[in-house]
Amino acid sequence: MSTSNNFVQNRKSLAEDMPELVKTARGDKSASLVIENAKMVNVISGEIQSDIDIAVQGTRIAYVGSDASHTIGEDTVRIHAHGNYVAPGLIDGHCHIESSQITPKQFARAVLPKGTTGGFFDAHEIANVLGLKGLRLMLNELRQTPMAGYMQVASCVPSTSTDFETSGANIGPEEVAEAFTWGDDMIALGEVMNFPGVVFGDDKMMGEIQETLKAGRVADGHYTWPSNDWRMSAYAASGISGDHEVTSGEEVIDRVRLGMYAKLRRGSAWHDVVPTITAYTEQGIDSRRFMLVTDDRSPESLVDEGHMDFVVRHAIEQGVPPVVAFQMATINSAERFGLSQDIGSIAPGRFADIIILDGPLPEVNVQTTIAAGVVVAENGEMTDVWESDPYPKEAQQSVHLNPSFQAENFSIEAPHGTIDGTYRARAIKVRENHVDTKEEHIQVSVENGTVALPQHEDVCKMSVIERHGKGGNQSNTLLTNVGFTKPAAFASTVAHDSHNLMVIGNDDSLMAKAANEVITMQGGVAVVTEEGTVTQPLPVAGLMSPEPFEKVAEQSRAISQALVAAGCTMNYAFMTLSLLALVVIPELRLSDKGLIQHTDEGFVHVPLIIND
């Protein structure tokens, strides 16, 4: 296996490549690569074509038809498909690379052998830590991979406003306009999570969307209010034309009817395809505005389950015809972003992003991955490898806290003037395999001015500590349904979306130890019990590791196993726990500035103790 540390993307425009493609198609120039005797998944016509040859010139497809022999020369690389299926390379229509805890190059290494050749990536995780500098780091590294990678400008940094949370940076209309000057691969505005701001005309959100539309780009959405009233139309009227926060068939239909694309999500812990795909399988809605996406995939789930190949298989298992499932993972996403002339199908003029499958089509067993006309993976392994570039000091020293936390830092103080006694309190209830939480009311006792955890109940404390060097705010609250059956604590700088330091536990001393472990690592994850400590360093912005994805996957698996040993048995528990500080998702969240509740008017601060 060769090593190429400086792989540079070589995807030119069709205008530049066109003359050579035409020469090749008519046989005046030999193809660089030809695939022979394939069953082709034609996602444009919605059919399977047999006995197909595909001729490639450089990075693009020159010929598709029954006989490419006139394009074959002495130097042509020939691949005999032996009647196996070929399909367009898979495209992730909405993904946060940082959620996989690996850098863009390592992400490409993980997903290319599984058939993902492109994607639309919203780097709002690192942008909330480092602003445009973080976004630029991700873009530049993604450009050094064979993938057709397109970046989106983070729209919500912070996700709501500084009234509700503290992030490491702030992105507004001017920054959005600047980012769109970086190149055509800055393709869209990332998910607009501050949907109340859009509906009620917040100047910052309106300005960001206007700059996007002026630049000729599209805007992605994130909308969790009911979609059957006037507010959904107001959101769509802003120009936002795609949304992945759909959790039912009805919500899919509501969006498609308003001209939006519905993104059906199957992440590691977000199992939304089953309820949402019914809009097609049961209601018969036209599927060409349906997109399959991952949103977030943990590193071990990439190893154990796969990436977009897994999502396509999953959709087929729900009754979606294979060709339709492939459309949802290729051409539909390409059309949504205005790139169907470049990616998303096997047709003349398109980039040669092609996968060859082994076995029946529904199994989506990727044997060979071709990206931009080059075989980059075979039989589950990359044919070429590269190393990540060193990250700047600023990106690796982003946790501006001292490892000096004590047990008393996690004591929950009752409101001033509260006498000892029993009270009703708000608690955040975790929901397995769901992004949302529920507001639960529980009985707590106040003793000597502090809130005590109920005995023999599944109740933890949760703390969010500002870590960007902007004052060190700390808020504490109560959390239910985590499942800890012994004294335990979990701490992480992966705490969507402001990515402050989040600590969860039922023992104040262990919570302090977990917090200090993560600070000492300059970011990452720690699980602490009386038996010991398990850690996962994530030094790049406190979100990612520069290590090979295989190593990161094993570290992440160790964290999962430590959580299970402590009693937290939720599926991919880390993914669910990491969302508990994301204030834009219902119903109740915690930020460094306190408890945030969702209402029909937007976000509001609420107290822990309920005064009846």
Side-chain angles (χ1 to χ4, degrees):
M1 182 178 291
S2 63
T3 300
S4 176
N5 294 336
N6 295 299
F7 184 97
V8 177
Q9 186 79 264
N10 191 31
R11 293 177 183 258
K12 302 176 186 175
S13 70
L14 178 58
E16 294 178 88
D17 289 335
M18 181 268 293
E20 300 303 302
L21 297 177
V22 174
K23 286 182 185 178
T24 303
R26 67 173 180 252
D28 289 348
K29 183 172 184 174
S30 297
S32 54
L33 180 147
V34 169
I35 300 171
E36 301 172 271
N37 188 27
K39 289 193 191 80
M40 191 182 82
V41 180
N42 193 321
V43 295
I44 299 174
S45 61
E47 62 180 327
I48 304 294
Q49 294 179 265
S50 298
D51 302 318
I52 293 296
D53 290 355
I54 303 162
V56 175
Q57 184 58 256
T59 62
R60 291 183 183 263
I61 298 167
Y63 169 89
V64 178
S66 59
D67 184 3
S69 59
H70 65 294
T71 71
I72 296 174
E74 291 184 3
D75 296 327
T76 301
V77 175
R78 301 174 68 175
I79 299 176
H80 203 293
H82 300 289
N84 284 332
Y85 290 98
V86 300
L90 303 176
I91 300 169
D92 195 336
H94 178 74
C95 176
H96 307 287
I97 292 175
E98 306 100 306
S99 291
S100 297
Q101 302 168 10
I102 50 181
T103 60
K105 284 185 177 179
Q106 290 301 317
F107 181 83
R109 280 193 59 233
V111 304
L112 279 165
K114 300 179 184 302
T116 301
T117 58
F120 299 95
F121 303 111
D122 185 350
H124 69 209
E125 318 300 354
I126 197 170
N128 267 280
V129 179
L130 300 174
L132 288 187
K133 291 180 181 178
L135 184 62
R136 179 76 99 164
L137 284 172
M138 298 291 284
L139 176 66
N140 287 344
E141 185 167 331
L142 190 61
R143 285 172 171 170
Q144 297 174 50
T145 76
M147 296 184 71
Y150 299 91
M151 195 66 73
Q152 297 176 273
V153 187
S155 66
C156 292
V157 179
S159 67
T160 51
S161 74
T162 54
D163 293 334
F164 296 105
E165 60 188 323
T166 306
S167 62
N170 195 298
I171 290 178
E174 290 185 6
E175 289 79 12
V176 169
E178 177 189 338
F180 283 136
T181 68
W182 296 348
D184 291 340
D185 49 358
M186 289 300 307
I187 196 66
L189 186 68
E191 57 178 295
V192 182
M193 297 181 287
N194 188 357
F195 50 91
V198 176
V199 171
F200 293 111
D202 175 78
D203 288 342
K204 177 185 174 183
M205 298 317 308
M206 292 291 102
E208 290 185 13
I209 297 170
Q210 284 178 320
E211 292 298 335
T212 300
L213 299 177
K214 286 192 290 186
R217 308 306 210 275
V218 297
D220 255 351
H222 171 123
Y223 185 94
T224 63
W225 273 337
S227 56
N228 57 358
D229 62 25
W230 65 269
R231 294 174 298 181
M232 186 78 241
S233 280
Y235 193 66
S238 72
I240 294 172
S241 52
D243 186 14
H244 67 284
E245 289 295 335
V246 289
T247 58
S248 69
E250 291 72 21
E251 290 180 343
V252 169
I253 293 170
D254 288 340
R255 284 157 176 75
V256 171
R257 284 174 174 169
L258 294 180
M260 300 177 75
Y261 280 81
K263 301 184 178 186
L264 283 53
R265 171 174 54 193
R266 183 57 162 88
S268 300
W270 332 136
H271 295 186
D272 296 328
V273 169
V274 172
T276 54
I277 201 66
T278 58
Y280 169 74
T281 57
E282 297 179 10
Q283 302 298 319
I285 297 296
D286 191 324
S287 65
R288 289 305 296 275
R289 283 183 177 260
F290 291 17
M291 298 163 58
L292 293 175
V293 306
T294 66
D295 197 4
D296 301 302
R297 296 288 284 169
S298 71
E300 72 264 38
S301 70
L302 290 177
V303 172
D304 296 343
E305 296 176 336
H307 190 240
M308 287 302 296
D309 58 325
F310 169 75
V311 183
V312 173
R313 279 193 298 273
H314 178 60
I316 294 170
E317 290 167 358
Q318 310 315 311
V320 178
V323 174
V324 175
F326 272 91
Q327 287 175 327
M328 294 179 185
T330 56
I331 189 65
N332 293 7
S333 295
E335 289 178 343
R336 183 265 182 279
F337 289 98
L339 291 171
S340 59
Q341 190 61 47
D342 284 335
I343 61 174
S345 64
I346 299 175
R350 277 66 171 181
F351 283 119
D353 297 332
I354 301 167
I355 55 177
I356 302 175
L357 308 177
D358 183 23
L361 187 58
E363 293 182 1
V364 198
N365 183 17
V366 179
Q367 180 184 59
T368 302
T369 303
I370 298 167
V374 176
V375 175
V376 296
E378 291 184 297
N379 300 314
E381 299 289 339
M382 294 292 296
T383 59
D384 197 11
V385 296
W386 58 89
E387 299 173 359
S388 294
D389 296 328
Y391 278 80
K393 180 179 178 181
E394 179 182 9
Q396 297 195 66
Q397 295 186 1
S398 64
V399 181
H400 301 286
L401 291 168
N402 293 318
S404 56
F405 280 87
Q406 304 293 325
E408 53 264 31
N409 294 115
F410 300 96
S411 175
I412 302 178
E413 295 184 5
H416 181 71
T418 303
I419 63 174
D420 287 0
T422 302
Y423 296 86
R424 279 201 312 145
R426 291 181 173 88
I428 301 171
K429 183 176 181 180
V430 181
R431 301 184 69 213
E432 184 177 18
N433 292 332
H434 288 80
V435 298
D436 64 325
T437 65
K438 294 297 182 183
E439 178 175 326
E440 185 173 13
H441 295 171
I442 64 174
Q443 294 292 322
V444 298
S445 60
V446 173
E447 302 169 3
N448 299 319
T450 63
V451 177
L453 289 181
Q455 295 296 311
H456 310 297
E457 293 185 34
D458 186 5
V459 182
C460 288
K461 292 181 180 179
M462 174 180 171
S463 182
V464 175
I465 306 159
E466 189 279 315
R467 61 102 161 177
H468 303 294
K470 297 183 177 183
N473 296 328
Q474 180 174 357
S475 293
N476 299 322
T477 195
L478 300 173
L479 186 66
T480 65
N481 209 34
V482 173
F484 286 151
T485 56
K486 62 174 67 174
F490 163 88
S492 173
T493 47
V494 180
H496 302 274
D497 270 345
S498 289
H499 297 292
N500 288 306
L501 175 60
M502 179 178 65
V503 189
I504 294 168
N506 55 13
D507 182 287
D508 292 354
S509 295
L510 296 182
M511 291 176 73
K513 184 174 182 180
N516 293 332
E517 288 280 356
V518 170
I519 294 167
T520 301
M521 292 188 294
Q522 270 298 306
V525 189
V527 177
V528 181
T529 65
E530 293 173 334
E531 287 76 33
T533 300
V534 177
T535 61
Q536 180 184 14
L538 299 173
V540 181
L543 302 171
M544 297 177 290
S545 169
E547 299 286 349
F549 80 88
E550 297 94 340
K551 180 176 180 179
V552 180
E554 289 311 305
Q555 292 174 335
S556 181
R557 194 186 310 279
I559 291 292
S560 297
Q561 291 169 345
L563 286 169
V564 169
C568 180
T569 59
M570 286 184 291
N571 177 54
Y572 293 114
F574 170 81
M575 303 298 284
T576 299
L577 297 177
S578 70
L579 287 185
L580 294 176
L582 181 50
V583 300
V584 296
I585 297 182
E587 294 178 342
L588 192 65
R589 302 279 157 163
L590 183 72
S591 78
D592 66 301
K593 294 191 175 183
L595 268 178
I596 312 298
Q597 183 189 66
H598 279 241
T599 72
D600 287 344
E601 287 72 42
F603 314 111
V604 296
H605 289 278
V606 292
L608 174 65
I609 301 296
I610 301 169
N611 293 314
D612 294 315

